[in-house]
Amino acid sequence: MTRPAAILFDVNETLSDMAPMADRFAEVGAAPGAAKLWFAALLRDGFALTAAGENPAFADVGASVLRGLLRGEELDRGLDAAVQHIMDGMSALELHPDVVPGIGALKAGGFRLATLSNGSTALADKLFSNAGVRDDVEQLLSVTDAPAWKPDARAYRYAAGQLGVDVSELLLVAVHPWDIHGASSAGAQTAWINRSGGAYPDHFRPADHTVRALPELAEVLV
């Protein structure tokens, strides 16, 4: 492999710590464990719509899935208010503790940094701005402006075009094996962050690099 010309980060879960979303569910009277079910169902439905040739808005799919998940629950407020409270939690998330030092190390190594999210760029902008590292990230990209959601190859090619590099010169960083598989299938280099110590699924293409925390990636690449 050659040194990547740019490093592309997934945002949701890869950079943002989504654990507090469980509290949002509890605060409206729903089971905290439903947070993971909701996010998995959101991705499932977004992928299905992408496969059908559509490019849905992440927030719209998220709210719709959430409305169906909460319907029939004994909530402490109206359904619409509960959905809004939980969705608002996405913009209140913070970065994982390893992200800021990892970005600093990669920036110091001379790498161009960007994001590509199935969600909005506004969430990424707030995450980085609140952490004081917004200026270290060159571009915040979203599939909203691309032909399709990740892991469709067109999403990664879109990012490469925006950065002015060949897709083979990109390195995608993600915690999701499906994202790693998609980027690899499109011709990009990949790095899997395995913070949990779990096993990588055999049915997906393996990552080129596997690290436990983002600063380790800088050590590997530099």
Side-chain angles (χ1 to χ4, degrees):
M1 291 183 298
T2 60
R3 175 184 168 95
I7 295 177
L8 193 64
F9 296 103
D10 171 54
V11 178
N12 293 320
E13 290 191 303
T14 297
L15 300 181
S16 63
D17 181 0
M18 292 187 64
M21 291 301 293
D23 296 333
R24 288 275 170 165
F25 276 76
E27 287 162 4
V28 302
K36 290 186 177 181
L37 175 62
W38 164 69
F39 192 67
L42 190 170
L43 292 176
R44 177 202 65 200
D45 289 1
F47 295 163
L49 290 167
T50 299
E54 301 178 36
N55 188 359
F58 185 89
D60 291 346
V61 177
S64 180
V65 170
L66 189 54
R67 191 167 285 106
L69 190 63
L70 295 179
R71 188 171 284 113
E73 293 285 329
E74 294 184 6
L75 305 174
D76 65 0
R77 65 196 76 189
L79 179 60
D80 289 343
V83 169
Q84 189 63 53
H85 180 73
I86 293 174
M87 292 300 296
D88 286 346
M90 291 293 291
S91 61
L93 298 176
E94 297 180 353
L95 296 172
H96 285 287
D98 63 305
V99 173
V100 170
I103 285 177
L106 290 168
K107 189 69 175 178
F111 293 101
R112 296 172 62 192
L113 308 179
T115 65
L116 178 63
S117 177
N118 282 342
S120 72
T121 57
L123 292 179
D125 184 79
K126 188 169 185 181
L127 280 168
F128 289 131
S129 296
N130 288 348
V133 292
R134 176 61 186 88
D135 291 342
D136 291 334
V137 183
E138 180 178 326
Q139 289 197 54
L140 304 180
L141 304 174
S142 169
V143 300
T144 301
D145 304 309
W149 278 36
K150 297 181 297 174
D152 190 296
R154 290 172 294 173
Y156 308 102
R157 293 174 188 145
Y158 159 77
Q162 292 298 302
L163 291 166
V165 302
D166 188 83
V167 69
S168 64
E169 298 177 289
L170 281 182
L171 185 145
L172 176 86
V173 180
V175 296
H176 305 117
W178 56 261
D179 206 353
I180 296 294
H181 181 90
S184 179
S185 298
Q189 301 175 45
T190 56
W192 182 46
I193 302 182
N194 182 17
R195 294 188 181 98
S196 67
Y200 192 90
D202 292 335
H203 52 278
F204 285 131
R205 289 192 180 199
D208 296 312
H209 308 286
T210 297
V211 296
R212 291 295 299 269
L214 193 53
E216 293 180 21
L217 181 60
E219 297 174 11
V220 170
L221 296 179
V222 173

